[in-house]
Amino acid sequence: MTILVTGGAGYIGSHTCLELLNAGYQVVVVDNLCNSDMESLKRVEQLTGKSITMYQFDARDEKQLESVFSNHNIACVIHFAGLKAVGESVSIPLTYYHNNLVSTMALCKVMKKYNVSNFIFSSSATVYAQDNEMPLHEGGHLGCTNPYGWTKLMGEQILKDISLADPAFSVVLLRYFNPIGAHQSGMIGEDPSGIPNNLLPYITQTALGRLERLTVHGNDYDTKDGTGVRDYIHVVDLARGHLKAVEYATKHQGCEAINLGTGVGYSVLDIIHAFEKENDVQVPYVIGPRRPGDIGSVYADPRKALDLLGWEAKLGIADMCRDAWNWQKQNPRGYRE
Ligand code: NAD
Ligand code: UFG
């Protein structure tokens, strides 16, 4: 069975390509490499001993998408391609709306033409409104506070409407919580450009000495130690969730939103301490003010993923910290070495 993976050279995409190949799927990638490097896919090929067909172009380009669909017998599309920096989306909203929404619509249009009806969408816990009780379940209130989040919520709505109009169109909207870690080989991992915004790459680069110290964004939240609590999920667990979603989509119709999280929340200090303990390294930090837009706690109710997909996270926080560090140590400058 052939799976089209858009954004397959990126962080989550590369880990998913690896799991797909190991499970016996054929993988076709479309990626314009605007936030990634071909090297990730070369390493996936090395790790699996299997090859990937890679097309480098923008997923908004319907003509080029058509040629991919006519060259390959695609059974399912996993759509990772998208821009994902929350802060940047506030500065250049049109770029975000255009990239993330037009790519989704172009794919749907071409899928319809080629009778491909299974779609897995990279959504995010950011689609939940801030007034929900924790843990977040899929029926919670939806609403966003930044353009990036809106691109995900609007993407969900577009796909839901398409599946309502065409009952053969099967969609799984995967709402990721906080993916961290790397493949245990240390050969593929997260490779942010510039100074990282997210906690784990900031920690690994601080431990390495590339950054002087981590700033903990606030210690006055209503959490056990005052620092922000999130549902961190190992990227390999997340990747495996996509395989379960592909199986589900090919056997069911309609549109389902499903959380991919562990159900466990860890604070920023928990993560720093776990990272230091697991890897026997120091992460110098200072406490700073809250980061605008952050909330105290975000964690998933993961039961729907278990009920519908038969998936649950298997790897724990020690695995996540170990694998993130293993990747960073082996690739101090990411794929740009
Ligand atoms: P990433 O930036 O590493 O990967 C995205 C990939 O898409 C990159 O390889 C990039 O080059 C490619 N891309 C972007 N726009 C494209 C376009 N128009 N055409 C072709 N390729 C394009 O990001 P990631 O962390 O792997 O995230 C994958 C998806 O998951 C994204 O849609 C993101 O919004 C979503 N998501 C990520 C997180 C997270 O914390 N990493 C959380 C929730 C949701
Ligand atoms: N944090 C720090 N210092 C840092 C970076 C982060 O203290 O230098 C804290 C944050 O305040 C937060 C926690 O670490 O409490 C996690 O922050 P991240 O930036 O790693 O992740 P977020 O939860 O803010 O956001 C992530 C993705 C979003 C996605 C969201 C889904 O970046 O794209 O998860 O829940 F929408």
Side-chain angles (χ1 to χ4, degrees), residues 10-12 31-32 34-36 58-59 80 84 99 148 152:
Y11 173 45
I12 307 171
D31 198 308
N32 63 1
C34 69
N35 195 39
S36 53
D58 194 301
F80 291 109
K84 63 165 184 176
N99 193 75
Y148 165 70
K152 292 296 169 188

Side-chain angles (χ1 to χ4, degrees), residues 72-103:
H72 303 273
N73 186 16
I74 309 284
C76 182
V77 174
I78 308 181
H79 182 35
F80 291 109
L83 300 175
K84 63 165 184 176
V86 173
E88 186 182 62
S89 79
V90 177
S91 314
I92 46 168
L94 189 56
T95 304
Y96 270 68
Y97 284 114
H98 200 274
N99 193 75
N100 293 2
L101 295 178
V102 175
S103 59

Side-chain angles (χ1 to χ4, degrees), residues 114-337:
Y114 286 84
N115 271 321
V116 179
S117 56
N118 301 305
F119 197 105
I120 315 297
F121 181 61
S122 289
S123 189
S124 166
T126 197
V127 300
Y128 290 110
Q130 297 199 349
D131 62 351
N132 287 290
E133 301 264 303
M134 295 299 136
L136 291 166
H137 65 86
E138 290 81 353
H141 304 145
L142 302 178
C144 300
T145 53
N146 59 71
Y148 165 70
W150 282 113
T151 68
K152 292 296 169 188
L153 191 47
M154 290 176 181
E156 286 199 1
Q157 187 65 45
I158 290 166
L159 291 164
K160 192 170 157 194
D161 288 338
I162 294 174
S163 85
L164 280 172
D166 176 3
F169 194 66
S170 175
V171 183
V172 182
L173 309 168
L174 294 177
R175 293 179 180 158
Y176 313 151
F177 281 68
N178 289 54
I180 61 170
H183 187 256
Q184 63 172 26
S185 64
M187 283 178 63
I188 56 170
E190 188 172 11
D191 185 21
S193 50
I195 296 184
N197 285 311
N198 294 116
L199 181 63
L200 248 290
Y202 212 105
I203 287 181
T204 56
Q205 293 191 20
T206 304
L208 204 62
R210 269 177 70 183
L211 299 170
E212 199 180 339
R213 71 177 80 84
L214 170 79
T215 301
V216 175
H217 297 317
N219 67 348
D220 57 352
Y221 287 106
D222 183 17
T223 59
K224 63 176 193 169
D225 57 23
T227 67
V229 165
R230 295 290 183 274
D231 186 335
Y232 296 95
I233 173 170
H234 197 298
V235 66
V236 171
D237 270 333
L238 191 74
R240 291 178 181 152
H242 289 75
L243 273 66
K244 294 290 188 180
V246 168
E247 282 170 30
Y248 182 87
T250 51
K251 290 187 193 126
H252 297 83
Q253 293 183 334
C255 178
E256 291 287 353
I258 302 179
N259 289 339
L260 291 184
T262 66
V264 181
Y266 287 102
S267 72
V268 177
L269 293 182
D270 285 336
I271 298 292
I272 295 172
H273 296 144
F275 189 89
E276 291 185 327
K277 179 165 175 256
E278 184 60 27
N279 299 316
D280 200 16
V281 285
Q282 295 295 306
V283 181
Y285 69 88
V286 287
I287 306 290
R290 290 185 179 194
R291 184 170 66 176
D294 271 2
I295 58 171
S297 288
V298 181
Y299 53 94
D301 178 340
R303 283 176 301 178
K304 189 172 175 186
L306 185 58
D307 289 349
L308 291 194
L309 307 182
W311 172 91
E312 63 183 334
K314 296 269 194 292
L315 299 163
I317 202 68
D319 304 298
M320 301 183 213
C321 291
R322 182 198 60 230
D323 294 337
W325 183 228
N326 189 27
W327 151 255
Q328 186 74 78
K329 262 190 316 183
Q330 288 187 45
N331 304 273
R333 305 231 158 248
Y335 293 115
R336 284 168 279 268
E337 277 299 279

Side-chain angles (χ1 to χ4, degrees), residues 6-17:
T6 73
Y11 173 45
I12 307 171
S14 55
H15 288 81
T16 303
C17 287

Side-chain angles (χ1 to χ4, degrees), residues 19-39:
E19 297 297 327
L20 287 166
L21 290 170
N22 280 341
Y25 291 97
Q26 260 88 50
V27 174
V28 175
V29 167
V30 168
D31 198 308
N32 63 1
L33 304 181
C34 69
N35 195 39
S36 53
D37 197 293
M38 261 308 283
E39 180 64 19

